[in-house]
């Protein structure tokens, strides 16, 4: 059976700048081949079953050769796989997407190209630079700075230097001195504004602005290197006015638990980058549901337990009507609210009722009460796959529960544990704070149990004034 290859544009860096079809293709993929420009959190859109292949190449040090990448694409597709070749920006703007497509066509592999937002345009915007502007530039030119290698043609500097529009060089950092020299030698003013933007749209974005005479020194002084965009032209002047900085820009927060979308959204809307780090997964256990038949009262420990219970009920050919006449008690108000969303109004919460002796507790790993009949419905297992995050790249981590903290720290190796001290831990309650201190976090900030409080605390800690 033949598979298919999608040459997929990942956008400029910020994972939220992926297209809708891009997100769907990642979810459908059996295999994803990605490289070093890709933000690893994009891989969170893949299914747990997908294999992730890092074909990342460093500029002078090709990890996987282009010919090998081409071969992998063909082989996986012939093996019947749904393959995504995840490429930075737009697949057809440099980065050899056109060559990959040609190979696929020649080999008779079904393929498609899904566009992405190119860094050449969006990366400038992330530095407050509109690539065109009525007063400054009526065209733009996207140029490779990597011209001498790979048999590419020499650049026609005379032609380039005479363009009035914005010049954007990609893959140009190694050639920056040459680019500036040639542009000046062919007639551009030394005072022509230049911006260099590294890791545009990502938490690690860095930018300097200067002109054709000064930019080399500035780049060296600010330690800016590849991958970066070099923008040349009067539009660069606008960055002083249009480069709006957001309070949490550059802050990289780790959320080591499954989706808490509200906290994620609030952090991201303030300019932070937040990544989920899923340490454990819930594995369903097959429970003997016959004990439920006779029980007048069910205590529900968590919405996860309830969902597993309903799944099993349905699998045995029954449904919620099997609960008719039984009292449903929720562990607490949070669980009660979740149950209501799932269509079940609890008759009370544990703290406010007296349980009879013959109740059944629907739970996870261990019973939270003594006395009743405990029905374990799931257990925690290591998450089937971890995304390639580097702990050293985060500033902060948020723990909403002691469980999230324990699961996370337990799963780390020794060198990762040593990195914990460098992460500020924001905990949502005093018990969690105490546990975090005990586990080696040097800076623990207690945010009580509120999302609002947590966002505020992170802002106070990192705000750039
Ligand atoms: N297809 C990509 C470009 C691939 S070539 C696109 O459309 O954006 C690789 C070059 O793109 C890098 O050397 C760098 O110049 C640029 N680039 C890609 N992503 C970038 C980012 N987030 N920040 C700065 N430069 C980036």
């Amino acid at each position: 059976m033949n598979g298919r290859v999608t040459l997929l544009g990942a956008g400029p860096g910020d994972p939220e700048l992926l297209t809708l079809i891009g997100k769907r293709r990642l979810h459908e993929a059996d295999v994803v081949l990605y490289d070093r420009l890709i933000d690893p959190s994009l891989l969170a859109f893949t299914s747990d079953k997908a294999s992730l292949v890092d074909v990342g190449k460093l500029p002078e040090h090709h990890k996987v050769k282009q010919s090998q990448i081409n071969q992998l694409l063909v082989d996986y597709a012939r093996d019947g796989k749904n393959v995504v070749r995840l490429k930075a920006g737009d697949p057809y703007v440099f980065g050899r997407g056109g060559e990959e497509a040609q190979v696929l066509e020649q080999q008779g592999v079904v393929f498609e190209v899904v566009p992405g937002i190119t860094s050449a345009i969006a990366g400038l915007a992330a530095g407050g630079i509109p690539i065109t502007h009525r007063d400054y530039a009526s065209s733009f030119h996207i140029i490779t700075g990597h011209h001498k290698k790979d048999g590419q043609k020499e650049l026609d500097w005379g032609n380039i230097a005479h363009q009035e529009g914005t010049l954007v060089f990609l893959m140009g950092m190694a050639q920056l001195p040459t680019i500036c020299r040639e542009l000046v030698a062919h007639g551009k003013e030394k005072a022509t504004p230049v911006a260099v933007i590294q890791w545009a749209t990502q938490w690690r974005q860095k930018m300097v602005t200067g002109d054709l005479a000064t930019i080399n020194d500035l780049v060296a002084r600010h330690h800016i290197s590849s991958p970066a965009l070099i923008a040349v032209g009067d539009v660069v002047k606008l960055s002083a006015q249009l480069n709006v900085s957001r309070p949490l820009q550059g802050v990289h927060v780790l959320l080591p638990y499954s989706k808490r979308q509200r906290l994620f959204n609030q952090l991201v809307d303030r300019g932070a980058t937040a990544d989920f780090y899923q340490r454990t997964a819930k594995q369903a256990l097959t429970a003997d549901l016959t004990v439920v038949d006779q029980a007048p009262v069910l205590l529900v420990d968590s919405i996860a337990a309830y969902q597993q219970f309903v799944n099993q009920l349905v699998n045995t050919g029954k449904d919620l009507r099997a609960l008719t006449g039984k009292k449903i008690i929720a562990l607490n108000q949070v669980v009660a609210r979740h149950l209501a969303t799932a269509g079940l109004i609890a008759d009370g919460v544990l703290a406010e009722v007296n349980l009879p002796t013959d109740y059944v507790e629907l739970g996870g790993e261990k019973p939270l009460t003594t006395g009743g009949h405990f029905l374990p419905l799931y257990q925690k297992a290591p998450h089937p796959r971890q995304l390639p995050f580097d702990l050293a790249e985060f500033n902060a981590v948020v723990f909403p529960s002691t469980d999230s903290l324990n699961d996370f720290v337990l799963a780390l190796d020794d060198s990762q544990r040593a990195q914990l001290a460098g992460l500020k831990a924001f905990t949502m309650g005093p018990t969690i704070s105490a546990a975090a201190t005990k586990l080696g976090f040097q800076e623990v900030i207690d945010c009580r149990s509120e999302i609002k409080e947590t966002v505020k605390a992170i802002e106070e800690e990192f705000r750039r004034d």
Side-chain angles (χ1 to χ4, degrees), residues 110-334:
V110 177
F111 74 97
E112 64 171 351
V113 180
V114 172
I117 300 176
T118 181
S119 68
I121 298 175
L124 268 55
I129 303 169
I131 196 162
T132 67
H133 186 288
R134 284 219 307 178
D135 298 338
Y136 301 105
S138 53
S139 68
F140 59 82
H141 311 268
I142 300 172
I143 304 156
T144 171
H146 193 66
H147 52 106
K148 286 239 172 103
K149 297 230 176 85
D150 304 326
Q152 213 143 25
K153 277 190 254 162
E154 279 279 353
L155 295 178
D156 177 353
W157 287 109
N159 183 8
I160 295 171
H162 285 100
Q163 300 297 334
E164 67 82 42
T166 307
L167 306 178
V168 185
F169 292 89
L170 272 67
M171 301 181 283
M173 288 311 278
Q175 299 290 332
L176 185 60
T178 313
I179 292 170
C180 295
R181 198 180 54 237
E182 294 288 347
L183 289 177
V184 173
H186 288 85
K188 278 255 185 249
E189 296 277 342
K190 277 190 176 163
T192 308
V194 183
V196 174
I197 310 156
Q198 182 183 20
W199 289 123
T201 77
Q202 296 193 7
W203 57 273
R204 50 191 159 173
Q205 175 173 325
K206 266 167 104 179
M207 165 166 165
V208 284
T209 55
D211 60 32
L212 285 173
T214 60
I215 197 72
N216 278 292
D217 285 347
L218 286 165
V219 159
R221 199 171 336 137
H222 290 91
H223 307 288
I224 294 190
S225 57
S226 179
L229 302 151
I230 302 162
V232 181
D234 284 337
V235 287
V236 168
K237 286 193 256 185
L238 288 165
S239 80
Q241 183 190 357
L242 302 181
N243 194 7
V244 282
S245 137
R246 294 182 295 167
L248 290 181
Q249 190 142 357
V251 180
H252 197 192
V253 187
L254 187 59
L255 306 175
Y257 42 85
S258 62
K259 309 290 172 198
R260 283 228 168 184
Q261 205 61 41
R262 210 147 61 88
L263 178 57
F264 175 91
N265 290 351
Q266 294 199 17
L267 291 171
V268 167
D269 288 349
R270 285 164 176 75
T273 301
D275 282 317
F276 291 107
Y277 201 52
Q278 204 146 287
R279 302 306 316 196
T280 56
K282 290 193 170 83
Q283 216 169 50
L285 295 175
T286 314
D288 174 13
L289 297 192
T290 52
V291 291
V292 174
D293 293 344
Q294 303 307 318
V297 175
L298 295 186
L299 168 67
V300 182
D301 285 355
S302 67
I303 191 70
Y306 174 71
Q307 279 160 347
Q308 293 299 346
F309 172 73
V310 175
N311 287 347
Q312 285 198 30
L313 206 57
V314 171
N315 286 344
T316 54
K318 294 185 187 164
D319 66 13
L320 285 182
R321 284 169 291 186
L323 300 184
T324 308
K326 297 186 194 305
K327 268 204 159 68
I328 307 293
I329 307 301
L331 183 76
N332 54 35
Q333 292 295 353
V334 178

